[in-house]
Amino acid sequence: MTGMNLAIGIDTGGTCTDAVLYDFDTHRVLGQNKALTTYDDLTRGILQALDGLSPALCQQARLVGLSTTLAINACVVGKFRRTRLLLLGIDRRGIAKYGAAYGFTDPDDIRYLPCRTTINGSIEEEPDWELLQTNAKDWFAGVEACVICEIYGMRNGAELEKKAACIVREQTDLPAVCASLLFGGLSSLERAASAVLNAGLLPVMRDFLDAVKNAFRARGIDASIYIVRLDSSLMSLDYSAEHAVETLLSGPAASALGGSALAGEPNAIIVDMGGTTTDIALVQNGAPLLSDDGIRIGEWKTLIRGLFSTSVAVGGDSAIRWDIHGNWTLGPDRIIPMCVLASLYPDVTNILCQQVENTPNHTLMLHEFLTLARADWANLPFELDMNEQKLCRTLEAGPLSVQQAADVLGIDKYQLHTRVLEQVGIVLRAGLTPTDIMHVRGDYTHYDRNASLYAARFAAGSLHLELQALCEEIYAEVSRRVFDAVSQMLLEHVSPYYRTHGLDDGMRELLRLQWENRVSGGCSMLQYAFRTSVKIIGIGGPVHLFLPAAAKALGAEYIIPEGAATANAVGAVTGQVTCTATAEIRMHSLPIENEEQDIFKVLCEGQPPCYFAAEDMAAAWASERLIEYTAARVREQGAAGELSFVTDTENVTGGKIFTRIHVTASTCLGHTMKEVC
């Protein structure tokens, strides 16, 4: 078995961590395994996934491909680490007027330091550095990172940002990120939003990457490690450690790669149902489609061009709850399924049984439990109040029900508030989820089914529903949301209007009617329906339960390929290390005085503007510079071995742009493997 060209794929999601052993020579999966993601110690979950593979073959692997939804999940549920923004040259009035469109909804949570620079980057008046030194500790108290953005920092090498970052680090010991060193776009607020996300996700990704390295070291696996970027290309571990925001769509990108590869379909809609989210992407000609503009994650508008995808907050771990009027909801919060918690802590089932017997229904979620997620809660850089500290100390001994937690604190259960602890990831909740409903119906029974039954009976009693009716309603709602998300994705793909404005109420009503009429066919007087001829590929553990109804409503064929449950891990090792850069050739706007005048202006990434007398000369120069630039970038991302380059020329009609040139440099992980060996 020696000499095999092997790699290991790891995907750490919100619920499960998957591992596959992949043979580049035969393009076959030699082994696969699934384990729970262990938030208190990510290394443990990765080790449990790895230990289901052949130890001897794993030690032969020289490359590891990673994907994860930890970053996107943190954004979707608003649990990335606390970060504060320092703006240089932008005042509060500007944020109050324009900030909300980029995700800055609270101008008072930002710190401002006046300065004056020009659009060319020249510094006319520096900030008051003494003011920053004096106030840094107060300004950045209670946060875990700082981001600094100067209005024209991309034009002066982030000179003022770097000086401010140095002062913040010296005064606070916090990591300080310079927005203009990471992102070069003209929009200062998009640069700031991108950098704030990056800083907030750095601790999340650092924990993950450290866990990966610890796990492989523990099993004696010496391999180069790469991670899937948000555009479906790959980057090295060192590069990703400073570019956490580029892992935002790592999971959806890996699912697009893995789903397409497993199904053998070059054109497809990929639906990946996980624990926290359902991710949808489009594949054309074997490559995932990318967004035309910077991606938007929740309320954050960024400069990061990535996968054209959508993530909806519905999955196996979505919280099922209800209000005082008896209306139940699904998500967006992700919680631990009761069956999973009870399998880890068997006493939970008995406590839940007694709870339901004593109080068979209630407007409060009395069936839910609290469990400690961060063992380092006492060392975090923000203060907890007395009740929060007491609760954390008690949870160190094991989970507590909502009623038990209130009793420990000596307060009424209506006064128990743990949102802050949950928001920063110190405490996790467990409760009723679609995964529990799967256990109740017998469709999936890997964990403690009794705990699921007790929680579901409490919910049904509180909602005055029969248990079977509740289960059917929840299944239908999950399927409907998958249908809605796929429909919206396709509408945004074919129509720039919907990409810009989203779906209006009228279109949502049409989709509602189409879903309601999926069985009856609707009114005979008016026949309409959105249809797709592209196959829908379903991946992820529970997708086979919910995709068929969604596909039927779209009149589409669906495929659930063999190995669908671990497709993301396959995608993590079948990608390429790539970089694409663009140059534009424009007609010079100045009057032409003679035939030899340089009339073609070239705007090229990594270069100042250049001028040429002939278009072919401009194109040749731009292509050479783009090849140099992309080659350097893919090497920085960790590419080894021979590179391939693809040049695409696009003629643009209208406006001042005459020609646009794209160059993509790439090497697949298999080629990098051979170079390593």
Side-chain angles (χ1 to χ4, degrees):
M1 300 290 279
T2 58
M4 298 177 71
N5 202 6
L6 302 180
I8 298 170
I10 297 285
D11 173 63
T12 296
T15 302
C16 291
T17 294
D18 303 334
V20 300
L21 190 62
Y22 188 80
D23 186 345
F24 278 114
D25 292 331
T26 62
H27 303 289
R28 289 177 54 239
V29 175
L30 302 182
Q32 58 185 353
N33 191 40
K34 185 181 288 285
L36 286 175
T37 296
T38 48
Y39 282 86
D40 60 326
D41 179 9
L42 291 172
T43 301
R44 193 170 77 254
I46 295 169
L47 284 172
Q48 290 170 356
L50 273 176
D51 289 345
L53 306 178
S54 165
L57 292 181
C58 283
Q59 289 187 358
Q60 291 184 36
R62 290 295 172 264
L63 282 176
V64 173
L66 306 175
S67 71
T68 182
T69 57
L70 292 177
I72 187 71
N73 291 349
C75 292
V76 168
V77 299
K79 290 185 178 179
F80 48 89
R81 304 297 170 83
R82 291 184 177 182
T83 300
R84 183 157 291 145
L85 176 63
L86 171 63
L87 290 175
L88 308 180
I90 306 172
D91 60 21
R92 188 188 182 284
R93 291 173 300 174
I95 293 297
K97 187 173 183 180
Y98 302 109
Y102 298 88
F104 300 114
T105 55
D106 183 4
D108 293 328
D109 192 48
I110 297 172
R111 301 298 177 256
Y112 307 90
L113 200 59
C115 68
R116 192 163 66 247
T117 56
T118 69
I119 195 171
N120 294 321
S122 300
I123 300 170
E124 295 186 346
E125 181 181 334
E126 293 202 11
D128 185 341
W129 300 121
E130 186 176 340
L131 179 66
L132 178 59
Q133 287 176 323
T134 303
N135 293 282
K137 287 185 179 179
D138 290 337
W139 284 1
F140 301 105
V143 300
E144 296 178 79
C146 166
V147 168
I148 299 149
C149 184
E150 190 256 304
I151 186 168
Y152 296 122
M154 74 294 180
R155 292 285 174 79
N156 56 33
E159 183 177 340
L160 298 181
E161 292 180 14
K162 288 188 284 189
K163 190 168 183 178
C166 184
I167 293 173
V168 171
R169 292 188 195 106
E170 289 175 351
Q171 298 297 318
T172 67
D173 289 328
L174 290 174
V177 176
C178 299
S180 301
L181 292 181
L182 289 175
F183 307 101
L186 292 176
S187 169
S188 57
L189 294 185
E190 284 187 349
R191 266 184 285 128
S194 304
V196 165
L197 272 179
N198 190 72
L201 294 171
L202 281 174
V204 176
M205 287 311 300
R206 192 175 297 119
D207 291 347
F208 172 59
L209 298 179
D210 286 345
V212 169
K213 289 186 284 188
N214 291 338
F216 281 89
R217 189 181 303 115
R219 293 298 179 264
I221 300 171
D222 182 16
S224 299
I225 303 176
Y226 293 79
I227 188 167
V228 179
R229 299 173 70 199
L230 74 177
D231 63 356
S232 79
S233 67
L234 302 172
M235 57 184 169
S236 69
L237 208 63
D238 290 340
Y239 185 88
S240 63
E242 298 301 324
H243 297 77
V245 73
E246 295 194 29
T247 67
L248 270 175
L249 300 179
S250 174
S255 69
L257 291 168
S260 179
L262 290 174
E265 291 289 336
N267 300 299
I269 303 163
I270 309 295
V271 176
D272 177 13
M273 180 167 284
T276 308
T277 62
T278 295
D279 304 320
I280 300 165
L282 304 181
V283 175
Q284 273 189 346
N285 300 320
L289 291 184
L290 302 183
S291 61
D292 293 329
D293 304 311
I295 62 171
R296 179 180 284 275
I297 299 294
E299 62 188 11
W300 300 98
K301 186 177 185 299
T302 75
L303 283 166
I304 310 151
R305 186 167 183 256
L307 191 74
F308 177 54
S309 69
T310 187
S311 295
V312 291
V314 60
D317 298 352
S318 295
I320 299 169
R321 291 173 172 149
W322 52 91
D323 60 24
I324 59 174
H325 305 294
N327 302 310
W328 65 268
T329 60
L330 179 64
D333 288 347
R334 180 249 174 212
I335 59 177
I336 301 171
M338 282 306 312
C339 56
V340 174
L341 186 72
S343 69
L344 298 172
Y345 302 94
D347 288 345
V348 164
T349 304
N350 295 329
I351 296 169
L352 186 59
C353 175
Q354 294 173 6
Q355 175 73 57
V356 174
E357 287 181 358
N358 295 336
T359 310
N361 59 76
H362 206 281
T363 56
L364 290 181
M365 307 300 112
L366 297 182
H367 65 292
E368 293 188 347
F369 280 68
L370 303 174
T371 184
L372 192 66
R374 294 186 67 173
D376 63 341
W377 64 269
N379 300 319
L380 295 176
F382 43 85
E383 292 186 7
L384 304 180
D385 64 31
M386 295 293 291
N387 274 350
E388 290 170 337
Q389 293 181 43
K390 184 176 182 180
L391 180 59
C392 289
R393 282 194 296 270
T394 307
L395 288 174
E396 288 178 336
L400 296 174
S401 70
V402 167
Q403 183 64 64
Q404 286 176 321
D407 292 344
V408 163
L409 298 179
I411 60 175
D412 189 274
K413 55 183 174 290
Y414 286 94
Q415 302 302 315
L416 180 66
H417 302 296
T418 59
R419 193 65 181 175
V420 172
L421 292 173
E422 295 176 57
Q423 196 77 20
V424 297
I426 295 175
V427 167
L428 293 177
R429 276 194 182 242
L432 186 65
T433 68
T435 297
D436 292 296
I437 301 302
M438 295 177 215
H439 279 70
V440 172
R441 296 187 61 156
D443 291 329
Y444 178 64
T445 55
H446 186 71
Y447 301 105
D448 189 330
R449 183 170 182 265
N450 286 330
S452 296
L453 278 168
Y454 291 133
R457 286 171 183 162
F458 179 75
S462 301
L463 291 164
H464 308 293
L465 289 172
E466 294 295 327
L467 180 59
Q468 182 178 346
L470 174 64
C471 293
E472 290 174 353
E473 287 186 18
I474 290 168
Y475 264 46
E477 177 64 12
V478 174
S479 296
R480 184 192 67 80
R481 294 202 191 180
V482 173
F483 162 76
D484 281 351
V486 172
S487 300
Q488 179 166 348
M489 186 77 174
L490 293 174
L491 285 167
E492 291 180 357
H493 174 55
V494 300
S495 170
Y497 175 85
Y498 290 118
R499 280 200 299 276
T500 303
H501 302 287
L503 303 190
D504 56 27
D505 291 341
M507 181 57 72
R508 293 193 182 279
E509 174 63 11
L510 287 177
L511 291 177
R512 186 192 69 79
L513 289 173
Q514 181 166 334
W515 172 255
E516 295 296 334
N517 297 333
R518 67 190 184 282
V519 177
S520 66
C523 175
S524 60
M525 290 187 177
L526 177 63
Q527 293 293 315
Y528 80 94
F530 297 105
R531 293 287 184 257
T532 178
S533 59
V534 177
K535 294 177 182 177
I536 304 177
I537 299 173
I539 61 176
V543 72
H544 65 286
L545 299 174
F546 306 107
L547 184 60
K552 181 178 181 179
L554 277 166
E557 182 180 348
Y558 70 91
I559 301 173
I560 299 176
E562 184 180 355
T566 55
N568 282 32
V570 174
V573 293
T574 54
Q576 295 182 316
V577 186
T578 69
C579 174
T580 299
T582 301
E584 293 176 354
I585 302 175
R586 308 182 181 209
M587 296 294 291
H588 201 298
S589 59
L590 297 177
I592 300 175
E593 298 177 356
N594 59 69
E595 294 182 357
E596 296 182 357
Q597 180 177 333
D598 294 339
I599 62 172
F600 293 96
K601 179 181 181 180
V602 181
L603 300 174
C604 183
E605 288 191 50
Q607 299 288 335
C610 289
Y611 302 88
F612 297 86
E615 185 191 2
D616 59 349
M617 294 171 59
W621 180 88
S623 297
E624 289 178 5
R625 300 292 83 74
L626 289 175
I627 288 173
E628 293 172 357
Y629 177 79
T630 55
R633 288 296 304 274
V634 294
R635 295 299 186 199
E636 183 184 358
Q637 289 168 214
E642 184 178 351
L643 302 180
S644 62
F645 298 90
V646 175
T647 301
D648 176 50
T649 301
E650 174 188 5
N651 293 318
V652 182
T653 58
K656 295 181 179 180
I657 301 175
F658 190 73
T659 303
R660 188 178 288 131
I661 300 173
H662 309 277
V663 170
T664 299
S666 65
T667 184
C668 73
L669 207 54
H671 291 162
T672 299
M673 161 82 80
K674 293 175 183 177
E675 185 70 17
V676 170
C677 294

